[in-house]
Amino acid sequence: MSVELRGIGMTSQRTRDRLVVRLREAGIQDERVLEVMRDTPRHIFVDEALASRAYEDTSLPIGFSQTISQPYIVAHMTEVLLKDFTPSRVLEVGTGSGYQTAVLAQLVPEVYTVERIAGLQEQARQRLARQLRLSNIRYKHSDGNWGWKQYAPYDGILVTAAPEEVPEELFNQLAEGGRLVIPSGPNGQQQLRVYTRDGESMKESVLGTVSFVPLLTGES
Ligand code: SAH
C-alpha cells in the first residue's frame, strides 16, 4: 500500500484504531462496519490541510459549501441499513466526498451513487476508482430527488442530505422488503428515519434528531 493511503502520524493506522474505539463507545456494534471504517483512509477524502483532523469524529468541509459526514453518522446509517440483512443493490443520494460510498462499496455487492455537484462527484470518482480501486460503484451526476430509475428497484437507499419531506420517487424505487435510511424535516428539526417497504405500504421508524446539509433541487 502507498504511504499516501497508509498514512503517517495523525493519519496512521493507530489514529484510525482510536476512531474505531470511539465509535464502539458511542454505540456502534456491527463488526463488519467497524472493520471497514478501520480500513478506510478517511484522510484522502478531505483537503490535505485538514488531513490531520480526518479521524476526529466530526464533519469537515469538502468545498462547494458541503461537508463530509461525521464518522459516527456514517457508521450509524450503514449499521441501520445492514441490520440483519445484506442488500445486494444500494442507491446512495449525495456522493459528496465519496467516503460513505467507499464504506458501502466494501459491504454490499453494487453501489449506485448520485450527486448534484459535478465537481464533487468527479473528485469522488477519482479517489474511489484510482486510489482505492473500488470497481463496484456507478456514478450519476443528477438531482437525487428523482432517484436513479435505470437500475431500480434497490434493496437499500441511503440519503446523506436532508429534504423537508421524503421524495416520493425514492419510495417508488425501493424493492419489496427494501430499506430507505433518510434524514428529513425542516432545518434544525431533522429526524433520521428508516422506511421498509411492505407491499404498497411503508413501515416507518424514527431514530432521532440529526443535522445534515439540505437536499437541494436541480444540478450544479
Ligand atoms: N456522504 C457524503 C455527504 C456529503 S454532504 C460525505 O460523507 O462526503 C451531502 C451531499 O449531498 C453533498 O455533496 C450535496 O451536494 C449532495 N446533495 C444535496 N442535494 C442533492 C440532490 N438533490 N441530489 C444529489 N445530491 C445532493
Side-chain angles (χ1 to χ4, degrees), residues 62 64 66-70 74 92-101 114-117 120 142-145 160-161 212-218:
I62 54 173
F64 304 88
Q66 302 302 321
T67 55
I68 180 171
S69 305
Q70 180 194 357
V74 171
E92 177 193 38
V93 174
T95 317
S97 67
Y99 178 69
Q100 170 80 71
T101 326
V114 176
E115 168 60 55
R116 65 180 286 279
I117 300 176
L120 276 179
S142 79
D143 178 352
N145 281 288
T160 71
F212 279 81
V213 297
L215 187 79
L216 303 175
T217 50

Side-chain angles (χ1 to χ4, degrees), residues 9-81:
M10 290 306 284
T11 60
S12 66
Q13 189 60 52
R14 273 183 58 194
T15 315
R16 285 183 225 174
D17 292 344
R18 280 198 291 271
L19 172 63
V20 170
V21 170
R22 278 198 298 277
L23 293 175
R24 241 185 243 284
E25 285 168 359
I28 304 299
Q29 295 180 339
D30 189 322
E31 293 298 331
R32 298 168 300 172
V33 174
L34 291 165
E35 189 184 329
V36 164
M37 292 193 56
R38 182 186 297 113
D39 291 345
T40 305
R42 189 167 182 259
H43 64 274
I44 69 164
F45 292 87
V46 297
D47 197 82
E48 248 173 82
L50 291 169
S52 66
R53 301 193 53 201
Y55 300 99
E56 292 175 16
D57 191 18
T58 67
S59 56
L60 293 167
I62 54 173
F64 304 88
S65 307
Q66 302 302 321
T67 55
I68 180 171
S69 305
Q70 180 194 357
Y72 172 76
I73 273 291
V74 171
H76 181 48
M77 288 175 84
T78 309
E79 186 172 68
V80 167
L81 185 75

Side-chain angles (χ1 to χ4, degrees), residues 3 100 106 119 128 193:
V3 172
Q100 170 80 71
Q106 294 171 82
L128 296 167
R193 294 188 167 84

Side-chain angles (χ1 to χ4, degrees), residues 110-138:
E110 295 170 31
V111 178
Y112 297 80
T113 187
V114 176
E115 168 60 55
R116 65 180 286 279
I117 300 176
L120 276 179
Q121 186 155 60
E122 200 39 50
Q123 270 179 10
R125 185 203 296 267
Q126 305 266 339
R127 289 180 184 124
L128 296 167
R130 294 217 186 135
Q131 289 185 271
L132 297 185
R133 308 221 171 267
L134 292 168
S135 55
N136 56 338
I137 306 168
R138 283 183 202 244

Side-chain angles (χ1 to χ4, degrees), residues 91 143-150 152 154 157 165-174 180 197 202:
L91 172 69
D143 178 352
N145 281 288
W146 301 106
W148 190 350
K149 211 166 183 172
Q150 189 182 353
Y154 302 94
I157 302 180
E165 293 201 10
V166 178
E168 200 59 35
E169 198 48 35
L170 298 183
F171 288 136
N172 295 341
Q173 295 181 16
L174 198 60
L180 165 64
R197 174 178 289 285
M202 292 287 162

